[in-house]
Every structure is written in structure tokens, then in C-alpha cells.
Amino acid sequence: MEKRKLGRTNLDVSVIGFGGIPIQRVGKELSHELLQEAYNRGINFIDTARGYNESESLIGEALEKIGRDKFILATKSMKRDYNGMTEELNTSLKSLKTSHIDLFQFHNIRTLEELDFIMSENGAFKALEEAKEKEIIKEIGITSHSPEILDKAIDTGKFSTIQCPYNPVERQAEELFKKAKDMNIGVIVMKPLAGGAITKGELSLRFIVDNPNISVVIPGMDTLDQVKSNTEVGINIRKLTEEEGSILSEEANSLGTEFCRRCGYCLPCPQKIDIPTQFLMEGYYTRYNLKEWAQSRYDAMEYRAIHCIECGLCETRCPYNLPIRKMMKNVVEKLG
């Protein structure tokens, strides 16, 4: 497996990492088998999160058997305040059955105001800085669907890594990745298959790893066949042929006008609906086979697609001219 430097962390990470979202649905025995096979085939980087239900716990139990030292371990939290982040970090350490976490990330920073708050006196960054001083965590990272927010974040000089969606459909972060590489900041790619919308998985992964500014890509895996096919991309790196590139471009183009890139420009909604998250949950429900997980999170939202009054303001803001009102109706049909 090809290894790349994770920016200034100086950690050598496998170019294919293990995305921890789908492991929550497979149970203890298969979780162990998946991570053991991943290790056997050269993966040394795991990404999970507090919000992925049992993911941290299943990974922690598997690492007890395989060996904690075999992997570079990354997790993340949605907490924005000092006390909340301190509590989440302690929970992660317990769930992952470890004394330290290699990379702890701020999960899904969605606005510049959120970024400002986490960096404030009572913000969560202070909690992670203190944990880093105690060597409880080694590095601090940040994830977002917005290249603009990540661009501002790396300008602070406080983050060792960034994590952002990137695939043949979502290429808006390419300039950001180049800037991050020049600043010696590690680049982690999530959503390599665009939330499951891209069916040509091998081609998409090959497209991603061909970008020299990327450190590691983290496809989610819940079968041994997926582990084998995904790791093969990092073991035998091959450029796309002209024909393969055309096939991939054709599929990317076929997603066309009704594919949400989660840029957030449609917000704020007058009805307080988090519009991109509606489409994200619908994607998890229909494409990731995480029906129960997506449904529970959708149901827990106070303002959902069902509350859309079809005012159309969001459509005037969308840089991709998406038919958001029509797409919201589709969410209602799937999730209620």
C-alpha cells in the first residue's frame, strides 16, 4: 500500500484509509474481521466519529485484539464549546479503549461563525489544545463540506489536517487541497463516492489518489470484498485510461442538476430547515443502506423537509440551480 505524509503531522498514512460510518451495522465479529483484513492489506489509518453510533466502540474492541499500535486513529466531534468537547473526548477515549487519539477533528463546521466560536475563549479548540499538551491527542484537524470555511481555518495556522468531500462530481476543493499541501497540512478526502451516488467505485478512488495533494481517502467499508477492492487501488496505483476517464465523467455528468454538493449557499432557510442535511440523510437512507440510522437522525430534527413551504428562496441562492423544492418533496416521500 502506498504511504503518504499526513502534512506536518509527519505520520505516514496509507493512501486508502478505513472510513468508519458503515461499520456500525455489522457487529463485533465482522468488525474485527474487516479491520484485520484492512491491516493485512496495508491500511493503517482509521477515521470514525462520536456521531457514528456504535462505530467507535466496535473499532475499539477490534483494536484490542489486533493491536492499538497497528493503526493511526482519527475521530471527531460536533461539540463546539469547551466543556462539551472535553466530555466528548473522554467518551471517545473510553469507547475506543485507548489512552490517546492520533487525530481529533472538529466535525462538520458549517459556518464561519461556528469557526470563530470554536476558536474563542470558551470554544472547543482550547479543550483540544490542553489535551494535546497532555499528549492525550497528537494532532488537531477540522472537517467541513465548505472549502471556504476550511480555507479560513488553515489560515489560522492551528490545524494539522483538513477533511472535505472530493470525487469526480465534487471537485470544488481542488485549489484548497493545493494550498493545504503547500502549507504542509494533511488532506483527508471523505465522500469519495459522493454519498454512494457514484457506482464506479474503483474508478472514483483511482481518480482521487491520482491527485498528489491528497494524503488519504477514507471510503466506508462493511464487507470483506469492499476492503479487498478498495485496498487494491492503493496497492496497485494506476492512472485512469482515456476510456475509463470518459466512463467516470459520463456517470458524474449523469447526476446532473439534482445532486446536492452541500455547499450551504441555500441557507438560511426562513423555515429553519437545514436543507443540505435533508438531502444528506436521504442519501444515507437510499444509497448507504443506513435506513434506520438516517431515519432516526431525520426524525430527531426539529425542522425537516415536511416543513418546507416552497417559497423558493433557496433556489435563488443555489449556484448549481438545483430544483430544491422538488428535491425536498422527494425527501418527504422517503423519510416522511
Side-chain angles (χ1 to χ4, degrees), residues 163-213:
Q163 185 176 144
C164 191
Y166 180 61
N167 53 64
V169 181
E170 300 172 280
R171 301 182 60 173
Q172 61 269 28
E174 285 183 336
E175 287 302 312
L176 170 71
F177 293 163
K178 184 179 186 303
K179 177 178 176 178
K181 179 69 176 294
D182 291 342
M183 295 176 65
N184 201 23
I185 291 172
V187 174
I188 304 166
V189 167
M190 61 177 167
K191 304 294 189 297
L193 306 186
I198 295 174
T199 62
K200 311 297 183 185
E202 177 195 340
L203 298 185
S204 187
L205 288 175
R206 285 169 57 196
F207 164 82
I208 293 165
V209 301
D210 190 50
N211 187 325
N213 300 318

Side-chain angles (χ1 to χ4, degrees), residues 229-241:
S229 60
N230 290 342
T231 52
E232 190 65 28
V233 173
I235 293 171
N236 296 307
I237 291 181
R238 296 179 292 123
K239 287 184 175 292
L240 294 174
T241 65

Side-chain angles (χ1 to χ4, degrees), residues 22-34:
I23 201 173
Q24 62 186 279
R25 62 175 173 240
V26 304
K28 295 179 182 179
E29 185 176 342
L30 183 52
S31 295
H32 177 213
E33 291 179 14
L34 290 170

